[in-house]
Amino acid sequence: MRVWCRLRQLLIAFATVMTCQSSAFATQPADDGAFRGAQWVMASAAARAVAKVGARAAITDPQLAELVRDRQNLDVEIDKLRKAWLVAVKNGEDGQDTLRQALDDAVAQATSLSAQITRRFPTYDEIANPRPRSIADVRSDLAEDEALLATLTASGTVYVWVITREDTRWNRVPLSAEDLAAKVSAIRRTVGGANEVRGADSLDDDSDRAATDEFARLEAFDVYEALLAPFAPILSNVDHLYAVVDGSLASLPFSLLLTQAPAEGVTDRTPLREAPFLLHQMAVTTLPSITSLSTVRGLANSQTSAATAGFIGFGDPLFAGVDAEPSQSETQVASLDVNSAFRSGGADAIRSLAQLPGTRRELNDIANVFGPNSSSITLGADASETAVKEAPLTGASVIAFATHGLLAGELDGLAEPALVFTPPRTPTSEDDGLLTASEVAALDLDAEWVILSACNTAGSDGTPGAEGLSGLAQAFLFAGARSILVSHWPVRDDAAARLTVDTLAALRDEPGLARSEALRRAMVKMIEDERDPSLAHPSAWAPFVLVGDGGKRLAASAQ
């Protein structure tokens, strides 16, 4: 720990000295040593998850690959046991000795497996724990129309690196980390709520979705001006930006930033269809780390994927929402005992969850994109946690979950984020209606991407020290997803359906299209829809971000 702290101090000192050489906040040529040092500080759990997937993909021996997966699954189990034991000790609960013994046994098993893997695959540790990439390495991973942006927040200051195939620059943001966070919060306050959402709130079908166009335009421009505008000369020919960000920026989709200051007379409530969003200039993909770029590019080019071009979807689970009517096909199970389906007093919160009819339409429309012979969807009462765990997920290139999403703490006793499914009549440890992040990590996926069409599945709230990606997103990456589509705030039921379906339809119609560009076009289509002006507001189109390889091409899959 002391080594890490010292490294951070040295990096900050070096960056400060370099910045002080200039009287203005102009970009500087990037130093390779400082760039490598920054990556040690930027390391995250999500980055480690991607690296472990890359290590598994590098193994050609099926038995060894299974051994590696067992070892990596033990990491997840050890983390769960350690947390449970610490909670038991803190609260003076019974079972401390049992938990401690289980933890010791898991650690011993992991040590034994690690020794076996090292003997058979000596380079495993190097692949699973990659060293920082040099500037030249990153350039070699980028296409001519791509760039990578990385930020590091330390001691109240935000540092930025931008790399293209031709140039590399860095800068110290003229705003303090606190001021930047305040502007991000102002933006989030005008986009983070929606009337019809896939979150812990009930739907309100009688609400006026176009009640306000309020959006923090000035702050959206201020963030762009401080963060990206200094690099405009080297970004002029960039169509696709990979973003590796931390701090408050981890909670803000870059697509909604404004590239021009609000004109005179423009207010926060002026219609937004003509607003100069960054979305109109480039597609943006989120990465957990700089080293992840090399990993996802390697996965994209690997021949190890056994997945076909098929689609599997789960959605429209059966809840007991106070204002919602169950789908006609589920009326016979409307008496499901929700009170017994959730632990620790969470029944009242779950009872308030409403049906999400848009999810049924969404999954049916996606299935139509792939064709009846290449798609499988599970809906209504059948959309259970057990159904997910028993599905042949390794055979699908695209997997979608369209349901409510919960953050840790939204239910009493819910210690990690989860997706909600139809609760069983009698809950068990294997099926209580909540597919938690740790359970997701135990899934075996080989998907080109996973679509989490729910709320709050992307990142943290941007507080200092928080992970840049949520535990749910990390878990799907670890489980084997090449890319994931996740959301930063509660999403509109109708908007979520449009975005996912239009994105996949664009890929079907133009097989060589990058996923990031397909998503960008779907967002632009929503903004330009004159039939519903409310869709131009970033609260409708901006919550979703693509994490992973946004440049990966998805083969045509319609039958």
Side-chain angles (χ1 to χ4, degrees):
M1 182 61 68
R2 291 178 181 175
V3 173
W4 288 93
C5 292
R6 181 57 179 160
L7 177 59
R8 178 184 287 268
Q9 292 169 0
L10 290 172
L11 177 62
I12 294 169
F14 174 82
T16 302
V17 170
M18 289 295 293
T19 304
C20 287
Q21 294 177 0
S22 174
S23 60
F25 288 90
T27 62
Q28 305 286 329
D31 177 84
D32 196 64
F35 180 68
R36 289 172 184 261
Q39 292 174 64
W40 286 112
V41 183
M42 294 173 186
S44 69
R48 292 190 291 275
V50 172
K52 288 179 178 179
V53 173
R56 296 202 300 266
I59 300 173
T60 56
D61 182 344
Q63 291 184 336
L64 180 57
E66 184 175 354
L67 193 67
V68 168
R69 180 59 195 253
D70 289 342
R71 172 63 185 85
Q72 293 179 356
N73 284 342
L74 271 173
D75 285 338
V76 178
E77 183 63 22
I78 288 170
D79 185 57
K80 285 177 56 180
L81 287 170
R82 182 177 290 112
K83 290 177 180 177
W85 175 69
L86 289 173
V87 169
V89 171
K90 179 181 179 181
N91 298 333
E93 299 173 356
D94 295 335
Q96 295 179 34
D97 293 341
T98 301
L99 285 170
R100 182 68 214 193
Q101 185 59 54
L103 175 59
D104 290 343
D105 291 345
V107 170
Q109 186 180 358
T111 301
S112 175
L113 286 178
S114 293
Q116 296 179 54
I117 293 168
T118 300
R119 286 195 300 269
R120 297 175 60 181
F121 190 16
T123 61
Y124 168 76
D125 189 63
E126 181 180 345
I127 298 174
N129 301 283
R131 293 185 174 276
R133 304 277 288 171
S134 69
I135 291 173
D137 290 337
V138 174
R139 282 182 176 173
S140 68
D141 289 328
L142 293 169
E144 291 183 357
D145 62 348
E146 292 182 330
L148 180 140
L149 177 147
T151 69
L152 172 63
T153 304
S155 298
T157 303
V158 180
Y159 303 93
V160 187
W161 286 262
V162 171
I163 300 177
T164 68
R165 283 288 293 270
E166 304 299 329
D167 201 353
T168 303
R169 311 285 294 181
W170 79 287
N171 189 29
R172 179 162 63 98
V173 173
L175 298 173
S176 68
E178 183 179 11
D179 289 341
L180 190 63
K183 292 183 181 296
V184 170
S185 295
I187 298 170
R188 285 288 305 238
R189 282 194 295 270
T190 59
V191 297
N195 292 321
E196 292 185 347
V197 299
R198 295 180 185 181
D201 300 325
S202 296
L203 297 184
D204 181 5
D205 291 335
D206 296 326
S207 61
D208 181 3
R209 292 181 309 209
T212 178
D213 283 323
E214 184 179 2
F215 177 60
R217 296 172 189 250
L218 183 58
E219 288 82 0
F221 172 71
D222 288 344
V223 173
Y224 169 81
E225 185 179 41
L227 193 70
L228 284 164
F231 299 96
I234 67 171
L235 291 173
S236 59
N237 295 319
V238 169
D239 295 326
H240 181 202
L241 180 70
Y242 281 103
V244 183
V245 295
D246 66 344
S248 63
L249 294 171
S251 66
L252 187 72
F254 279 14
S255 295
L256 58 64
L257 296 180
L258 295 179
T259 59
Q260 298 174 26
E264 185 177 353
V266 171
T267 71
D268 284 352
R269 293 180 178 272
T270 301
L272 286 154
R273 186 174 297 122
E274 304 300 326
F277 294 113
L278 182 65
L279 174 77
H280 294 299
Q281 293 187 5
M282 61 183 68
V284 181
T285 298
T286 299
L287 284 177
S289 73
I290 293 168
T291 57
S292 298
L293 176 61
S294 176
T295 303
V296 297
R297 282 288 155 88
L299 289 170
N301 295 325
S302 72
Q303 300 300 315
T304 61
S305 175
T308 66
F311 165 68
I312 293 179
F314 303 87
D316 194 20
L318 183 64
F319 301 119
V322 261
D323 297 322
E325 293 294 332
S327 303
Q328 291 182 357
S329 59
E330 287 92 40
T331 53
Q332 70 274 19
V333 289
S335 60
L336 220 63
D337 185 5
V338 181
N339 282 311
S340 65
F342 296 93
R343 313 186 212 99
S344 306
D348 288 341
I350 295 303
R351 189 181 296 111
S352 69
L353 293 176
Q355 293 302 120
L356 296 171
T359 64
R360 177 176 289 260
R361 295 191 298 269
E362 176 181 352
L363 294 179
N364 277 312
D365 287 345
I366 293 177
N368 289 334
V369 171
F370 282 79
N373 296 326
S374 298
S375 59
S376 171
I377 56 175
T378 304
L379 303 167
D382 295 328
S384 66
E385 185 181 354
T386 296
V388 174
K389 292 178 177 178
E390 294 181 351
L393 300 179
T394 54
S397 60
V398 176
I399 304 171
F401 299 91
T403 181
H404 287 294
L406 296 176
L407 297 173
E410 282 197 89
L411 284 183
D412 184 20
L414 181 63
E416 54 183 326
L419 296 175
V420 189
F421 294 92
T422 299
R425 291 182 181 277
T426 304
T428 66
S429 59
E430 289 299 313
D431 188 347
D432 58 3
L434 295 175
L435 185 69
T436 63
S438 57
E439 290 173 316
V440 168
L443 299 176
D444 187 11
L445 308 182
D446 196 15
E448 296 293 348
W449 64 346
V450 170
I451 298 172
L452 301 185
S453 194
C455 81
N456 296 322
T457 52
S460 67
D461 58 5
T463 54
E467 279 282 352
L469 287 173
S470 73
L472 206 56
Q474 295 170 26
F476 275 104
L477 289 172
F478 176 80
R482 267 71 164 160
S483 298
I484 52 177
L485 188 66
V486 289
S487 64
H488 271 293
W489 54 75
V491 297
R492 270 176 51 171
D493 195 33
D494 59 333
R498 288 192 54 167
L499 275 176
T500 55
V501 174
D502 286 351
T503 298
L504 290 170
L507 291 167
R508 174 200 61 193
D509 297 339
E510 193 173 338
L513 195 64
R515 285 198 291 270
S516 58
E517 176 60 17
L519 177 61
R520 190 193 72 83
R521 293 184 186 183
M523 291 177 173
V524 171
K525 184 177 179 181
M526 286 182 61
I527 293 173
E528 295 177 346
D529 188 343
E530 296 182 358
R531 296 170 300 176
D532 185 353
S534 71
L535 291 173
H537 196 284
S539 62
W541 58 263
F544 281 112
V545 294
L546 182 63
V547 180
D549 184 19
K552 175 71 170 68
R553 272 59 177 172
L554 184 66
S557 52
Q559 300 298 305

